[in-house]
Coordinates of all heavy atoms in Angstrom, one line a residue:
D1444 N -11.6 17.4 10.3 CA -11.3 17.9 9.0 C -11.3 16.8 8.0 O -10.8 15.7 8.3 CB -9.9 18.6 9.0 CG -9.8 19.8 9.9 OD1 -10.8 20.6 9.7 OD2 -8.9 20.0 10.7
I1445 N -11.9 17.0 6.8 CA -11.9 15.9 5.8 C -10.5 15.7 5.3 O -9.8 16.6 4.9 CB -12.8 16.3 4.7 CG1 -14.3 16.4 5.2 CG2 -12.8 15.2 3.6 CD1 -15.3 16.9 4.1
E1446 N -10.0 14.5 5.4 CA -8.6 14.2 5.1 C -8.4 13.9 3.7 O -9.3 13.5 2.9 CB -8.2 12.9 5.9 CG -8.4 13.0 7.4 CD -8.0 11.7 8.1 OE1 -7.4 10.8 7.5 OE2 -8.4 11.5 9.3
D1447 N -7.2 14.3 3.2 CA -6.8 13.8 1.9 C -6.3 12.4 2.0 O -5.6 12.1 3.0 CB -5.7 14.7 1.4 CG -6.2 16.1 1.0 OD1 -7.3 16.2 0.4 OD2 -5.5 17.1 1.2
A1448 N -6.6 11.6 1.1 CA -6.1 10.2 1.1 C -4.6 10.2 1.1 O -4.0 10.9 0.2 CB -6.7 9.4 0.0
D1449 N -4.0 9.5 2.0 CA -2.5 9.6 2.0 C -1.9 8.4 1.3 O -0.7 8.1 1.5 CB -2.0 9.7 3.5 CG -2.6 8.6 4.4 OD1 -3.2 7.7 3.8 OD2 -2.3 8.6 5.6
T1450 N -2.6 7.7 0.5 CA -2.1 6.6 -0.2 C -2.4 6.8 -1.7 O -3.4 7.5 -2.0 CB -2.7 5.2 0.2 OG1 -4.1 5.2 0.1 CG2 -2.3 4.9 1.7
E1451 N -1.7 6.2 -2.6 CA -1.9 6.4 -4.0 C -3.3 5.8 -4.4 O -4.0 6.4 -5.2 CB -0.8 5.6 -4.8 CG -0.9 5.8 -6.3 CD -0.8 7.2 -6.8 OE1 -0.1 8.0 -6.1 OE2 -1.3 7.6 -7.9
D1452 N -3.7 4.7 -3.8 CA -4.9 4.1 -4.1 C -5.9 4.4 -3.0 O -5.6 4.6 -1.9 CB -4.8 2.5 -4.2 CG -3.9 2.1 -5.3 OD1 -4.0 2.7 -6.4 OD2 -3.1 1.2 -5.1
P1453 N -7.2 4.5 -3.4 CA -8.2 4.8 -2.4 C -8.3 3.7 -1.3 O -7.9 2.6 -1.5 CB -9.6 4.8 -3.2 CG -9.1 5.1 -4.6 CD -7.8 4.4 -4.7
L1454 N -8.7 4.2 -0.1 CA -8.8 3.3 1.1 C -9.8 2.2 0.8 O -10.9 2.4 0.2 CB -9.2 4.0 2.3 CG -9.5 3.2 3.5 CD1 -8.2 2.7 4.2 CD2 -10.3 4.0 4.6
W1455 N -9.4 0.9 1.1 CA -10.3 -0.2 0.9 C -10.1 -1.2 2.0 O -9.1 -1.9 2.1 CB -10.1 -0.9 -0.4 CG -11.3 -1.7 -0.9 CD1 -11.6 -3.0 -0.4 CD2 -12.3 -1.4 -1.8 NE1 -12.7 -3.4 -1.0 CE2 -13.2 -2.4 -1.9 CE3 -12.6 -0.2 -2.5 CZ2 -14.3 -2.4 -2.7 CZ3 -13.7 -0.2 -3.3 CH2 -14.6 -1.3 -3.4
E1456 N -11.0 -1.2 3.0 CA -10.9 -2.1 4.1 C -12.2 -2.8 4.4 O -13.2 -2.1 4.5 CB -10.4 -1.3 5.4 CG -9.0 -0.8 5.3 CD -8.5 -0.4 6.6 OE1 -9.3 -0.1 7.5 OE2 -7.3 -0.5 6.8
T1457 N -12.1 -4.1 4.6 CA -13.3 -4.9 5.0 C -12.9 -5.7 6.2 O -11.7 -5.7 6.6 CB -13.8 -5.8 3.8 OG1 -12.7 -6.8 3.6 CG2 -14.0 -5.0 2.5
P1458 N -13.8 -6.4 6.8 CA -13.4 -7.2 8.0 C -12.3 -8.2 7.7 O -11.6 -8.6 8.6 CB -14.7 -7.9 8.4 CG -15.8 -6.9 8.0 CD -15.3 -6.3 6.7
D1459 N -12.1 -8.6 6.4 CA -11.0 -9.6 6.2 C -10.0 -9.1 5.1 O -9.2 -9.9 4.6 CB -11.6 -10.9 5.7 CG -12.5 -10.7 4.5 OD1 -12.6 -9.6 3.9 OD2 -13.2 -11.7 4.1
Y1460 N -9.9 -7.7 4.9 CA -8.9 -7.2 4.0 C -8.6 -5.8 4.4 O -9.5 -5.0 4.7 CB -9.5 -7.2 2.5 CG -8.5 -6.5 1.6 CD1 -7.4 -7.2 1.1 CD2 -8.8 -5.2 1.2 CE1 -6.5 -6.5 0.2 CE2 -7.9 -4.6 0.3 CZ -6.8 -5.2 -0.2 OH -5.9 -4.6 -1.0
S1461 N -7.3 -5.4 4.2 CA -6.9 -4.0 4.5 C -5.9 -3.6 3.4 O -4.9 -4.2 3.2 CB -6.2 -4.0 5.9 OG -5.6 -2.7 6.0
S1462 N -6.3 -2.5 2.7 CA -5.4 -2.0 1.7 C -4.2 -1.3 2.3 O -3.2 -1.0 1.6 CB -6.2 -1.0 0.8 OG -6.6 0.1 1.5
L1463 N -4.3 -1.0 3.6 CA -3.2 -0.4 4.3 C -2.2 -1.4 4.9 O -1.2 -1.1 5.4 CB -3.8 0.4 5.5 CG -4.7 1.6 5.2 CD1 -5.2 2.2 6.5 CD2 -4.1 2.6 4.3
G1464 N -2.5 -2.7 4.6 CA -1.7 -3.8 5.1 C -1.7 -4.1 6.5 O -0.8 -4.7 7.1
E1465 N -2.8 -3.6 7.2 CA -2.9 -3.9 8.6 C -3.1 -5.4 8.9 O -3.8 -6.1 8.2 CB -4.0 -3.1 9.2 CG -3.8 -1.6 9.2 CD -4.9 -0.8 9.9 OE1 -5.9 -1.5 10.4 OE2 -4.8 0.4 10.1
E1466 N -2.5 -5.8 10.0 CA -2.8 -7.2 10.4 C -4.2 -7.3 11.0 O -4.5 -6.5 11.9 CB -1.7 -7.7 11.4 CG -1.8 -9.1 11.8 CD -0.7 -9.6 12.7 OE1 0.4 -8.9 12.7 OE2 -0.8 -10.6 13.3
L1467 N -5.0 -8.2 10.6 CA -6.3 -8.3 11.0 C -6.6 -9.5 11.9 O -6.1 -10.6 11.6 CB -7.3 -8.5 9.7 CG -7.1 -7.3 8.7 CD1 -8.0 -7.6 7.5 CD2 -7.5 -6.0 9.3
A1468 N -7.3 -9.2 13.0 CA -7.7 -10.3 13.8 C -8.9 -11.0 13.2 O -9.6 -10.4 12.3 CB -8.1 -9.8 15.2
P1469 N -9.2 -12.3 13.5 CA -10.4 -12.9 13.0 C -11.6 -12.1 13.2 O -11.8 -11.5 14.3 CB -10.4 -14.3 13.7 CG -9.0 -14.5 14.2 CD -8.4 -13.1 14.5
A1470 N -12.4 -12.0 12.2 CA -13.7 -11.2 12.3 C -14.6 -11.7 13.3 O -14.9 -12.9 13.4 CB -14.3 -11.1 11.0
A1471 N -15.1 -10.9 14.2 CA -16.1 -11.3 15.2 C -17.5 -11.1 14.7 O -17.7 -10.4 13.7 CB -15.9 -10.4 16.5

């Protein structure tokens, strides 16, 4: 099911950044 974004700002995640505040391991 297509989800509604559950944060005020749109999702933005790259190998070295997480708008969700997730802890990131070094990019492989």
Side-chain angles (χ1 to χ4, degrees):
D1444 292 316
I1445 297 176
E1446 302 179 15
D1447 287 324
D1449 54 4
T1450 58
E1451 182 64 26
D1452 296 318
L1454 176 72
W1455 199 279
E1456 291 197 334
T1457 66
D1459 55 8
Y1460 173 80
S1461 171
S1462 65
L1463 300 177
E1465 293 185 355
E1466 186 173 344
L1467 303 177

